[in-house]
Amino acid sequence: MLSAGRALSVHTAAARLPRSGQNPIPEIKLTTPTRKPIRLARRIREIQISPTLAVMNRAQKLAAKGIDVVDFGPGEPDFRTPRSISEAGKRAIDEGNTKYTNVLGTTALRSAIADRYKSRYGAHVAMENVIAGSGGKQELFNLMLALVSDGEEVIIPAPYWVSFPDQVAFAGGIPVFAKTEAAEGFRPRLDQIEAVATDRTRGVILNSPSNPTGAVIEEDELRRIVEWCAAREAFLVFDETYEFFVYDGHHHASAMQWFNDHPETVVAVNSMSKTFAMTGWRLGYAVGHRDIISAIGKIQSHSTSNPSSISQAAAVEAFHGHDDDVHRMYEAYCERREWLVPAINAIPGISCSAPDGAFYIFPSVSALFRGNVHDSTSFANFLLDEARVAVVPGTAFGGEGHVRISYATSMDRLREGVARMAAAVKKL
Ligand SMILES: Cc1ncc(COP(=O)(O)O)c(C=O)c1O
């Protein structure tokens, strides 16, 4: 326990850096030494601090010293939120639209989301099937708390987005990984999921397009997984945060296409963050069975309550006619991806296939491991020291031997970063 007068000082120098994109962890230092270790709850010990953040925090410290680091870490668009969406947020403030809303979100927003799922996927959903929260991350977290009981297993294809396993563990569940193959572009298959299923399996989390691999699941495979989950009375949480960023003729299939047949099974999670470059507005949502939605609404009512009324007003505007803005961002990602994939493959020892979607590549770097550079974390540290280039170690995503490179950055920075990487790896 902290005694009176022993203040906590939170050093957030790194947090003030522009475009961190990785939620830097504030360094917490006690102003006087502690006599006893702080007694923390068991659940906090179950959660890992991601190695992603450790490398990213180092990169941010270097940048804070004025060192020019090419940052391939951020998982956020480098574009500004489209102007008229921001204007809608400003209008909400000016018009006094700054009060609590319904815990699950405003009628206008929830109806707009339901309409979108009706028209995109033919799903029979209304606003009762929708909850808006402070980010897709929050709704994923709420879903695990609502659906997973102690000791139940949740299958997650690996490589996976960093928060999935910890969210399952926090809820008392056990994350179980279904390994996907680099040679198949990391696209998940039903047989990989079946291979790790047990009688304790409670559900599956799928993310397509995937962060970090960019894999987009095949439509037939997805249908089979939905049916398999339904037959076992398992849930399928389907995270389609990157739904609009799919390339080379690949097609985004959503598990919501089968919602009408399996409403107890499928829950979609989505976000304003990537589609509309709205990461800082903190707005995401879930769409599913109304009993699941009201269960997670109960959790939300005792934690954050409604997401920001201002962000909700901006999101309603986003859903009305901003396809051109999304397309403009999509075209920029296409151009960068087309340049980046061959440029990275031209560096001896680094190889990757062209990812189907999202805005990441996930190349293998294990052919370069030698001496002190023996895994993805030491490789990322080496790149930071030798090239002043920040990448995210694959181990954070259950993909050791790889690193994640985000191309949500300008062509100039991509060229600079790749040139530095090519020069640095010659020293290995
Ligand atoms: C796969 C995936 N799901 C969910 C999220 C959460 O996004 P947000 O909380 O910003 O809506 C992210 C963000 O990086 C992501 O990559």
Side-chain angles (χ1 to χ4, degrees):
M1 289 262 296
L2 288 170
S3 59
R6 185 188 286 172
L8 266 181
S9 68
V10 179
H11 298 259
T12 51
R16 283 195 296 274
L17 280 174
R19 293 208 64 253
S20 69
Q22 288 289 330
N23 308 339
I25 308 169
E27 285 173 35
I28 299 177
K29 289 186 185 151
L30 291 169
T31 49
T32 55
T34 26
R35 278 170 303 194
K36 287 186 191 160
I38 309 285
R39 195 151 51 87
L40 297 171
R42 179 193 54 78
R43 72 177 70 85
I44 208 71
R45 293 195 298 268
E46 314 260 297
I47 295 185
Q48 314 290 320
I49 287 187
S50 160
T52 316
L53 295 175
V55 182
M56 291 299 118
N57 281 352
R58 270 199 69 217
Q60 283 150 9
K61 278 187 186 150
L62 291 173
K65 286 186 196 154
I67 296 167
D68 173 29
V69 174
V70 176
D71 193 354
F72 288 153
E76 70 176 335
D78 55 319
F79 303 104
R80 291 185 70 143
T81 303
R83 183 177 296 276
S84 55
I85 299 178
S86 297
E87 291 297 336
K90 289 186 202 162
R91 244 187 347 267
I93 297 174
D94 292 341
E95 291 171 4
N97 197 352
T98 52
K99 307 283 188 192
Y100 290 134
T101 72
N102 183 301
V103 167
L104 283 73
T106 61
T107 299
L109 178 59
R110 293 166 69 204
S111 304
I113 293 167
D115 288 348
R116 204 170 165 81
Y117 271 82
K118 268 191 273 188
S119 64
R120 254 173 99 67
Y121 304 118
H124 296 162
V125 288
M127 64 174 269
E128 291 74 20
N129 300 98
V130 178
I131 181 170
S134 305
K137 189 180 264 185
Q138 185 190 10
E139 294 316 335
L140 287 161
F141 193 70
N142 288 346
L143 274 165
M144 291 308 111
L145 293 180
L147 296 175
V148 179
S149 298
D150 277 352
E152 289 182 328
E153 295 176 354
V154 178
I155 300 177
I156 306 170
Y160 45 76
W161 180 51
V162 278
S163 291
F164 293 143
D166 286 312
Q167 291 184 342
V168 171
F170 193 90
I174 300 165
V176 172
F177 303 111
K179 193 174 172 300
T180 60
E181 297 299 331
E184 295 168 6
F186 297 105
R187 287 177 213 103
R189 294 194 319 257
L190 173 59
D191 62 305
Q192 293 159 340
I193 290 169
E194 266 180 323
V196 294
T198 70
D199 55 7
R200 291 179 303 281
T201 299
R202 173 68 187 97
V204 176
I205 304 177
L206 286 183
N207 167 219
S208 175
S210 152
N211 174 6
T213 65
V216 171
I217 192 165
E218 304 274 356
E219 185 161 355
D220 277 352
E221 205 65 43
L222 179 55
R223 180 182 47 74
R224 278 195 284 274
I225 294 172
V226 171
E227 286 166 359
W228 181 84
C229 287
R232 297 176 65 104
E233 298 187 7
F235 65 74
L236 176 62
V237 167
F238 189 74
D239 176 345
E240 49 190 344
T241 293
Y242 298 87
E243 65 178 329
F244 288 101
F245 304 126
V246 171
Y247 315 102
D248 280 351
H250 287 281
H251 155 74
H252 172 71
S254 169
M256 288 302 283
Q257 290 166 225
W258 299 281
F259 177 77
N260 299 346
D261 295 331
H262 304 293
E264 298 84 7
T265 306
V266 178
V267 188
V269 175
N270 211 325
S271 169
M272 306 306 288
S273 292
K274 321 290 172 162
T275 306
F276 297 103
M278 290 178 71
T279 43
W281 298 77
R282 306 308 303 127
L283 200 78
Y285 50 94
V287 186
H289 193 288
R290 58 183 66 199
D291 292 352
I292 296 178
I293 297 301
S294 59
I296 60 182
K298 238 198 259 180
I299 295 169
Q300 195 158 293
S301 76
H302 293 299
S303 54
T304 57
S305 258
N306 62 274
S308 152
S309 59
I310 301 155
S311 302
Q312 292 190 66
V316 171
E317 166 65 26
F319 284 132
H320 291 114
H322 283 276
D323 294 353
D324 287 355
D325 291 308
V326 178
H327 196 71
R328 187 173 44 78
M329 294 186 251
Y330 167 77
E331 287 194 324
Y333 294 140
C334 282
E335 186 196 349
R336 296 167 188 181
R337 173 181 169 279
E338 255 166 52
W339 180 83
L340 179 61
V341 173
I344 280 289
N345 278 315
I347 302 176
I350 306 190
S351 61
C352 75
S353 54
D356 309 335
F359 43 65
Y360 310 103
I361 60 171
F362 199 60
S364 166
V365 293
S366 56
L368 291 169
F369 292 169
R370 55 201 60 135
N372 289 337
V373 177
H374 49 81
D375 59 16
S376 63
T377 304
S378 49
F379 181 81
N381 279 313
F382 165 82
L383 275 189
L384 196 54
D385 293 335
E386 290 294 327
R388 302 304 192 203
V389 170
V391 298
V392 187
T395 186
F397 309 99
E400 183 44 49
H402 295 253
V403 293
R404 190 190 76 175
I405 294 176
S406 161
Y407 52 90
T409 189
S410 70
M411 279 301 291
D412 282 352
R413 293 307 272 169
L414 284 176
R415 286 203 177 88
E416 172 69 23
V418 171
R420 289 189 198 183
M421 284 173 69
V425 301
K426 285 189 186 141
K427 298 183 190 162
L428 281 170

